[in-house]
mmCIF file of all heavy atoms in Angstrom:
data_model
loop_
_atom_site.group_PDB
_atom_site.id
_atom_site.type_symbol
_atom_site.label_atom_id
_atom_site.label_comp_id
_atom_site.label_asym_id
_atom_site.label_seq_id
_atom_site.Cartn_x
_atom_site.Cartn_y
_atom_site.Cartn_z
ATOM 1 N N GLU A 1 0.872 -1.118 -0.035
ATOM 2 C CA GLU A 1 -0.066 -0.062 0.012
ATOM 3 C C GLU A 1 0.927 1.192 0.084
ATOM 4 O O GLU A 1 1.983 1.228 0.595
ATOM 5 C CB GLU A 1 -0.966 0.085 1.294
ATOM 6 C CG GLU A 1 -1.963 -0.956 1.313
ATOM 7 C CD GLU A 1 -3.205 -0.757 0.427
ATOM 8 O OE1 GLU A 1 -3.367 0.481 0.049
ATOM 9 O OE2 GLU A 1 -3.776 -1.576 0.019
ATOM 10 N N ASP A 2 0.409 2.262 -0.537
ATOM 11 C CA ASP A 2 0.990 3.617 -0.650
ATOM 12 C C ASP A 2 0.165 4.576 0.067
ATOM 13 O O ASP A 2 -1.024 4.576 -0.180
ATOM 14 C CB ASP A 2 1.454 4.127 -2.006
ATOM 15 C CG ASP A 2 2.478 3.296 -2.651
ATOM 16 O OD1 ASP A 2 3.315 2.683 -2.041
ATOM 17 O OD2 ASP A 2 2.287 3.147 -3.880
ATOM 18 N N LEU A 3 0.648 5.470 0.927
ATOM 19 C CA LEU A 3 -0.040 6.506 1.502
ATOM 20 C C LEU A 3 0.752 7.860 1.429
ATOM 21 O O LEU A 3 1.968 7.761 1.615
ATOM 22 C CB LEU A 3 -0.232 6.048 3.034
ATOM 23 C CG LEU A 3 -0.921 7.009 3.983
ATOM 24 C CD1 LEU A 3 -2.309 7.139 3.564
ATOM 25 C CD2 LEU A 3 -0.832 6.596 5.281
ATOM 26 N N GLU A 4 0.128 8.826 1.002
ATOM 27 C CA GLU A 4 0.672 10.006 0.782
ATOM 28 C C GLU A 4 -0.036 11.109 1.719
ATOM 29 O O GLU A 4 -1.332 11.222 1.593
ATOM 30 C CB GLU A 4 0.661 10.524 -0.682
ATOM 31 C CG GLU A 4 1.511 9.658 -1.571
ATOM 32 C CD GLU A 4 1.431 10.133 -2.996
ATOM 33 O OE1 GLU A 4 1.093 11.316 -3.199
ATOM 34 O OE2 GLU A 4 1.885 9.284 -3.880
ATOM 35 N N MET A 5 0.686 11.897 2.440
ATOM 36 C CA MET A 5 0.085 13.007 3.242
ATOM 37 C C MET A 5 0.824 14.206 3.091
ATOM 38 O O MET A 5 2.053 14.294 2.848
ATOM 39 C CB MET A 5 0.187 12.534 4.785
ATOM 40 C CG MET A 5 -0.433 11.222 5.074
ATOM 41 S SD MET A 5 0.098 10.540 6.677
ATOM 42 C CE MET A 5 1.657 9.853 6.264
ATOM 43 N N SER A 6 0.106 15.404 3.163
ATOM 44 C CA SER A 6 0.668 16.747 3.015
ATOM 45 C C SER A 6 0.224 17.518 4.131
ATOM 46 O O SER A 6 -0.930 17.568 4.507
ATOM 47 C CB SER A 6 0.454 17.254 1.680
ATOM 48 O OG SER A 6 1.223 16.678 0.669
ATOM 49 N N GLY A 7 1.074 18.419 4.650
ATOM 50 C CA GLY A 7 0.711 19.447 5.644
ATOM 51 C C GLY A 7 1.298 20.827 5.330
ATOM 52 O O GLY A 7 1.658 21.010 4.113
ATOM 53 N N PHE A 8 1.188 21.648 6.245
ATOM 54 C CA PHE A 8 1.719 22.934 6.004
ATOM 55 C C PHE A 8 3.311 23.031 5.671
ATOM 56 O O PHE A 8 3.731 23.756 4.805
ATOM 57 C CB PHE A 8 1.543 23.928 7.269
ATOM 58 C CG PHE A 8 1.922 25.360 7.140
ATOM 59 C CD1 PHE A 8 1.325 26.130 6.333
ATOM 60 C CD2 PHE A 8 3.014 25.765 7.821
ATOM 61 C CE1 PHE A 8 1.631 27.513 6.083
ATOM 62 C CE2 PHE A 8 3.504 27.087 7.740
ATOM 63 C CZ PHE A 8 2.850 27.884 6.864
ATOM 64 N N GLY A 9 4.124 22.171 6.420
ATOM 65 C CA GLY A 9 5.547 22.323 6.173
ATOM 66 C C GLY A 9 6.185 21.035 5.715
ATOM 67 O O GLY A 9 7.355 21.000 5.704
ATOM 68 N N ILE A 10 5.372 19.899 5.410
ATOM 69 C CA ILE A 10 5.951 18.613 5.115
ATOM 70 C C ILE A 10 4.999 17.793 4.306
ATOM 71 O O ILE A 10 3.796 17.932 4.452
ATOM 72 C CB ILE A 10 6.306 17.965 6.391
ATOM 73 C CG1 ILE A 10 7.092 16.568 5.952
ATOM 74 C CG2 ILE A 10 5.090 17.627 7.277
ATOM 75 C CD1 ILE A 10 7.663 15.869 7.256
ATOM 76 N N SER A 11 5.534 17.098 3.402
ATOM 77 C CA SER A 11 4.845 16.147 2.574
ATOM 78 C C SER A 11 5.484 14.713 2.824
ATOM 79 O O SER A 11 6.749 14.680 3.180
ATOM 80 C CB SER A 11 4.892 16.313 1.171
ATOM 81 O OG SER A 11 4.219 17.518 0.775
ATOM 82 N N HIS A 12 4.739 13.727 3.010
ATOM 83 C CA HIS A 12 5.189 12.406 3.472
ATOM 84 C C HIS A 12 4.672 11.263 2.564
ATOM 85 O O HIS A 12 3.405 11.340 2.483
ATOM 86 C CB HIS A 12 4.922 12.204 4.947
ATOM 87 C CG HIS A 12 5.870 11.210 5.590
ATOM 88 N ND1 HIS A 12 7.066 11.686 6.277
ATOM 89 C CD2 HIS A 12 5.853 9.891 5.697
ATOM 90 C CE1 HIS A 12 7.520 10.646 6.812
ATOM 91 N NE2 HIS A 12 6.903 9.548 6.457
ATOM 92 N N THR A 13 5.402 10.494 2.158
ATOM 93 C CA THR A 13 5.027 9.216 1.389
ATOM 94 C C THR A 13 5.469 7.986 2.197
ATOM 95 O O THR A 13 6.630 7.835 2.647
ATOM 96 C CB THR A 13 5.686 9.144 0.114
ATOM 97 O OG1 THR A 13 5.338 10.407 -0.681
ATOM 98 C CG2 THR A 13 5.102 7.964 -0.722
ATOM 99 N N VAL A 14 4.483 7.069 2.462
ATOM 100 C CA VAL A 14 4.745 5.886 3.221
ATOM 101 C C VAL A 14 4.360 4.706 2.356
ATOM 102 O O VAL A 14 3.250 4.620 1.752
ATOM 103 C CB VAL A 14 3.971 5.886 4.639
ATOM 104 C CG1 VAL A 14 4.183 4.550 5.368
ATOM 105 C CG2 VAL A 14 4.373 7.103 5.428
ATOM 106 N N LYS A 15 5.147 3.814 2.347
ATOM 107 C CA LYS A 15 4.884 2.544 1.576
ATOM 108 C C LYS A 15 5.238 1.370 2.551
ATOM 109 O O LYS A 15 6.157 1.235 3.208
ATOM 110 C CB LYS A 15 5.803 2.347 0.348
ATOM 111 C CG LYS A 15 5.506 1.049 -0.420
ATOM 112 C CD LYS A 15 6.291 1.069 -1.827
ATOM 113 C CE LYS A 15 5.867 -0.167 -2.637
ATOM 114 N NZ LYS A 15 6.562 -0.151 -3.901
ATOM 115 N N TYR A 16 4.133 0.419 2.611
ATOM 116 C CA TYR A 16 4.241 -0.685 3.489
ATOM 117 C C TYR A 16 3.532 -1.867 2.936
ATOM 118 O O TYR A 16 2.844 -1.702 1.941
ATOM 119 C CB TYR A 16 3.649 -0.369 4.857
ATOM 120 C CG TYR A 16 2.122 -0.017 4.885
ATOM 121 C CD1 TYR A 16 1.247 -1.029 5.009
ATOM 122 C CD2 TYR A 16 1.696 1.262 4.569
ATOM 123 C CE1 TYR A 16 -0.001 -0.718 5.027
ATOM 124 C CE2 TYR A 16 0.491 1.585 4.533
ATOM 125 C CZ TYR A 16 -0.518 0.611 4.818
ATOM 126 O OH TYR A 16 -1.805 0.906 4.747
ATOM 127 N N GLY A 17 3.876 -3.041 3.428
ATOM 128 C CA GLY A 17 3.228 -4.282 2.943
ATOM 129 C C GLY A 17 3.949 -5.535 3.325
ATOM 130 O O GLY A 17 4.770 -5.461 4.300
ATOM 131 N N VAL A 18 3.587 -6.529 2.782
ATOM 132 C CA VAL A 18 4.077 -7.840 2.867
ATOM 133 C C VAL A 18 4.750 -8.422 1.631
ATOM 134 O O VAL A 18 4.008 -8.443 0.710
ATOM 135 C CB VAL A 18 3.073 -8.927 3.534
ATOM 136 C CG1 VAL A 18 3.616 -10.277 3.667
ATOM 137 C CG2 VAL A 18 2.422 -8.422 4.701
ATOM 138 N N ASP A 19 6.082 -8.726 1.680
ATOM 139 C CA ASP A 19 6.788 -9.178 0.491
ATOM 140 C C ASP A 19 6.494 -10.720 0.234
ATOM 141 O O ASP A 19 5.800 -11.269 0.981
ATOM 142 C CB ASP A 19 8.155 -8.753 0.548
ATOM 143 C CG ASP A 19 9.035 -9.494 1.570
ATOM 144 O OD1 ASP A 19 8.435 -10.315 2.225
ATOM 145 O OD2 ASP A 19 10.203 -9.124 1.794
ATOM 146 N N GLU A 20 7.175 -11.168 -0.801
ATOM 147 C CA GLU A 20 6.923 -12.557 -1.203
ATOM 148 C C GLU A 20 7.535 -13.546 -0.229
ATOM 149 O O GLU A 20 7.227 -14.738 -0.217
ATOM 150 C CB GLU A 20 7.528 -12.893 -2.635
ATOM 151 C CG GLU A 20 9.004 -12.419 -2.743
ATOM 152 C CD GLU A 20 9.213 -10.999 -3.179
ATOM 153 O OE1 GLU A 20 8.190 -10.280 -3.462
ATOM 154 O OE2 GLU A 20 10.248 -10.541 -3.083
ATOM 155 N N ASN A 21 8.454 -13.096 0.725
ATOM 156 C CA ASN A 21 8.908 -13.924 1.846
ATOM 157 C C ASN A 21 8.039 -13.923 3.026
ATOM 158 O O ASN A 21 8.267 -14.626 3.982
ATOM 159 C CB ASN A 21 10.391 -13.529 2.179
ATOM 160 C CG ASN A 21 11.261 -13.740 1.044
ATOM 161 O OD1 ASN A 21 11.203 -14.581 0.262
ATOM 162 N ND2 ASN A 21 12.232 -12.596 0.950
ATOM 163 N N GLY A 22 6.870 -13.171 2.991
ATOM 164 C CA GLY A 22 6.088 -13.068 4.157
ATOM 165 C C GLY A 22 6.493 -12.102 5.132
ATOM 166 O O GLY A 22 5.966 -11.988 6.252
ATOM 167 N N THR A 23 7.537 -11.205 4.844
ATOM 168 C CA THR A 23 8.092 -10.259 5.759
ATOM 169 C C THR A 23 7.362 -8.850 5.661
ATOM 170 O O THR A 23 7.214 -8.439 4.479
ATOM 171 C CB THR A 23 9.627 -10.135 5.543
ATOM 172 O OG1 THR A 23 10.136 -11.387 5.528
ATOM 173 C CG2 THR A 23 10.216 -9.187 6.503
ATOM 174 N N PHE A 24 7.026 -8.253 6.705
ATOM 175 C CA PHE A 24 6.411 -7.003 6.650
ATOM 176 C C PHE A 24 7.577 -5.804 6.385
ATOM 177 O O PHE A 24 8.682 -6.029 6.973
ATOM 178 C CB PHE A 24 5.770 -6.669 7.955
ATOM 179 C CG PHE A 24 5.104 -5.262 8.035
ATOM 180 C CD1 PHE A 24 3.917 -5.023 7.479
ATOM 181 C CD2 PHE A 24 5.836 -4.277 8.727
ATOM 182 C CE1 PHE A 24 3.371 -3.740 7.523
ATOM 183 C CE2 PHE A 24 5.303 -3.009 8.913
ATOM 184 C CZ PHE A 24 3.992 -2.682 8.152
ATOM 185 N N PHE A 25 7.338 -4.827 5.440
ATOM 186 C CA PHE A 25 8.278 -3.954 5.392
ATOM 187 C C PHE A 25 7.576 -2.566 5.368
ATOM 188 O O PHE A 25 6.438 -2.376 5.190
ATOM 189 C CB PHE A 25 8.960 -4.064 4.006
ATOM 190 C CG PHE A 25 8.102 -3.831 2.873
ATOM 191 C CD1 PHE A 25 8.102 -2.613 2.201
ATOM 192 C CD2 PHE A 25 7.458 -4.906 2.175
ATOM 193 C CE1 PHE A 25 7.249 -2.392 1.093
ATOM 194 C CE2 PHE A 25 6.660 -4.671 1.245
ATOM 195 C CZ PHE A 25 6.534 -3.363 0.537
#
């Protein structure tokens, strides 16, 4: 999943998920 957030002084992109090994990243 990708999540993008923006505020007054910062923008932030977060990517998270489960890869093919079953590991959360």
